[in-house]
Amino acid sequence: MKDNQTKYPQLRFKGFTDPWEQRKLGEVYNFQYGQFNNNPDNGGQYPIYGANGIIGGYDEYNSENAIVIGHMGAYAGHVLWAEGKHFVTYNGTMGIADKSILNSNFGYYLVVSVNVPKLTAGSGQPFVSYSDLNGIKILIPTIEEQQKIGSFFKQLDNLITLHQRKLAKLKELKQGYLQNLFPKNGSKFPQLRFAGFADAWEQRKLGDLVRYQNGVGHEGNQLDEGKYELVNLNSISIDGGLKSSGKFINTVTRTLKKNDLVMVLSDVGHGDLLGRVAIIPENNRYVLNQRVALLGTNDQTDIKFLFSYINAHQRYFKREGAGSSQLNISRGSVEKFEVLLPTIDEQKQIGRYCSNIDSLITLHQRKLEKLQELKKGYLQKMFC
């Protein structure tokens, strides 16, 4: 809290008008370091909290209904709420609220709003000390207003958790369907089919189904804003699908067309992005950058089917990756990829079905992101 900061939040519940009282965090919390430098997991009933959440179970506890703040390392300053009895390792600092002046739920969101990670220090491994925490200036309202605020954010977090679970279940459902909608283990018949289809699927090379074209480098002409968006290695998500690269150019000789399929050819990580594909959603907006390939399709294949089939078999492209600091796949690896192909009518049924699931996932993802943004805005306006 800044010395000249107002004692009145921007947004309040009806009936509360008094100024908030200035305190220091050490006056409303008793901070203690956790125990043990390693994880004492023995499968016990009490969850073990490190700096980034639950890491196991232990048959003893050393804290109850407390905040846990990352004490050192990459998650120094990271704030968690630990419900019930639990065990905190040395990587975490326990914060026990003085319940005579601080509502526990309100206190957790208050500490989150403080942005503790910005206080981390240390030339080597970041850390947050007792003195850092104890000296943080805060403003708190009456217990009654604290209870209102704490309850509000708890309900909002419960709603966010509900949407996170729905999203996770949808993704699991999609993976289950993908495993059964496509043949596996050498079979030419999938386990799950739409009514009216019974023929064996035909084995083809991807190179026989698409027209392969490499992208070209535009690094010298890149802008943060512009007319045409570059499709680069940051444009395709880990689940497959297009996202913004944030890079643009204004002059081009050729743009991508609606329903073009683009594929990642390089990955600096573990190869999980290699071979991932996305569908271009509109004409005359996107331009292909280097290390991304265009896979132009023909009337033998349904674009949505091919999109789902390639992304469901990404492990092939990961195996084909070559290199040390950066993994790359070649045109030859892409074109020799074997595709099991049903009739065009069955492709369209499968492609449409998978596309509907993807749309549902995207819808829930956007709802979740809106809720998270809403929470962020409320944290800024409901605390001084």
Side-chain angles (χ1 to χ4, degrees):
M1 188 206 78
K2 297 178 181 178
D3 290 337
N4 62 348
Q5 186 170 344
T6 177
K7 294 184 179 182
Y8 300 89
Q10 288 180 263
L11 190 62
R12 302 184 83 167
F13 286 102
K14 186 177 179 179
F16 298 101
T17 57
D18 292 339
W20 287 23
E21 179 184 0
Q22 183 173 320
R23 295 272 191 159
K24 289 187 177 180
L25 204 57
E27 296 173 0
V28 297
Y29 273 107
N30 175 27
F31 291 111
Q32 303 173 34
Y33 290 136
Q35 298 172 261
F36 300 165
N37 289 329
N38 57 356
N39 181 1
D41 183 17
N42 62 7
Q45 63 177 314
Y46 302 114
I48 301 169
Y49 281 85
N52 190 36
I54 297 173
I55 57 176
Y58 194 46
D59 53 16
E60 297 180 16
Y61 67 92
N62 60 5
S63 183
E64 183 175 2
N65 294 330
I67 60 171
V68 178
I69 301 175
H71 166 55
M72 58 171 50
Y75 292 98
H78 184 67
V79 185
L80 300 164
W81 169 250
E83 190 86 28
K85 297 174 180 177
H86 53 274
F87 187 94
V88 181
T89 70
Y90 185 68
N91 284 336
T93 297
M94 300 171 273
I96 311 296
D98 180 346
K99 294 181 181 179
S100 66
I101 54 175
L102 189 71
N103 173 268
S104 295
N105 282 332
F106 172 86
Y108 164 64
Y109 295 107
L110 171 67
V111 177
V112 169
S113 73
V114 166
N115 190 15
V116 180
K118 70 182 180 183
L119 303 174
T120 58
S123 57
Q125 183 163 245
F127 66 92
V128 178
S129 69
Y130 274 175
S131 59
D132 291 329
L133 295 173
N134 287 331
I136 294 174
K137 292 180 180 179
I138 57 170
L139 288 165
I140 59 173
T142 63
I143 283 287
E144 290 76 19
E145 189 171 2
Q146 290 180 39
Q147 289 170 341
K148 280 272 190 181
I149 296 170
S151 177
F152 170 79
F153 278 102
K154 188 174 179 63
Q155 290 179 42
L156 185 55
D157 266 349
N158 288 342
L159 188 59
I160 289 172
T161 299
L162 179 64
H163 279 272
Q164 287 172 330
R165 288 173 180 167
K166 285 183 178 180
L167 183 61
K169 285 182 178 179
L170 276 173
K171 289 182 177 181
E172 288 176 11
L173 183 69
K174 175 186 173 181
Q175 289 305 312
Y177 277 123
L178 288 177
Q179 289 175 8
N180 292 319
L181 283 169
F182 301 124
K184 55 186 176 182
N185 301 325
S187 174
K188 292 187 178 180
F189 299 89
Q191 290 180 269
L192 186 63
R193 300 190 85 163
F194 291 97
F197 300 104
D199 293 340
W201 289 23
E202 179 185 0
Q203 186 168 303
R204 302 288 298 274
K205 300 283 189 185
L206 184 58
D208 297 330
L209 305 173
V210 302
R211 175 179 50 84
Y212 180 101
Q213 181 181 322
N214 279 318
V216 296
H218 295 281
E219 278 66 25
N221 302 313
Q222 287 186 17
L223 303 167
D224 293 330
E225 295 180 357
K227 185 176 181 180
Y228 304 104
E229 183 170 350
L230 286 176
V231 176
N232 60 24
L233 296 178
N234 296 319
S235 299
I236 301 176
S237 71
I238 194 69
D239 298 318
L242 198 68
K243 60 180 184 177
S244 176
S245 68
K247 298 297 179 182
F248 300 83
I249 56 175
N250 284 326
T251 304
V252 298
T253 56
R254 183 183 183 280
T255 60
L256 293 166
K257 297 178 181 178
K258 183 178 180 179
N259 289 332
D260 276 345
L261 199 64
V262 291
M263 175 182 280
V264 172
L265 301 177
S266 299
D267 185 15
V268 295
H270 301 289
D272 294 328
L273 278 171
L274 288 176
R276 294 287 183 193
V277 292
I279 299 173
I280 298 301
E282 60 183 275
N283 290 321
N284 301 320
R285 178 181 170 186
Y286 297 95
V287 176
L288 199 65
N289 202 43
Q290 63 184 352
R291 301 311 302 157
V292 183
L294 165 65
L295 307 180
T297 58
N298 53 41
D299 57 8
Q300 299 178 63
T301 53
D302 176 77
I303 186 67
K304 293 178 180 178
F305 170 87
L306 199 58
F307 164 83
S308 296
Y309 190 95
I310 292 173
N311 282 329
H313 294 84
Q314 189 270 338
R315 60 187 179 276
Y316 161 82
F317 299 99
K318 186 173 181 177
R319 288 196 305 266
E320 291 289 308
S324 52
S325 60
Q326 176 173 283
L327 295 174
N328 304 288
I329 51 174
S330 66
R331 176 174 183 168
S333 292
V334 174
E335 292 184 331
K336 75 178 183 181
F337 171 62
E338 293 182 348
V339 179
L340 284 168
L341 204 66
T343 64
I344 189 64
D345 288 338
E346 189 171 4
Q347 288 180 48
K348 287 179 179 179
Q349 284 266 35
I350 295 170
R352 187 160 49 244
Y353 184 79
C354 292
S355 178
N356 287 340
I357 294 179
D358 283 337
S359 296
L360 196 56
I361 288 172
T362 299
L363 177 64
H364 278 273
Q365 182 69 53
R366 286 175 180 166
K367 285 183 178 178
L368 176 60
E369 289 169 356
K370 284 182 179 179
L371 283 171
Q372 290 169 332
E373 283 299 311
L374 190 66
K375 177 183 173 181
K376 183 179 178 182
Y378 279 132
L379 283 170
Q380 292 173 348
K381 293 181 179 181
M382 294 181 72
F383 291 91
C384 294

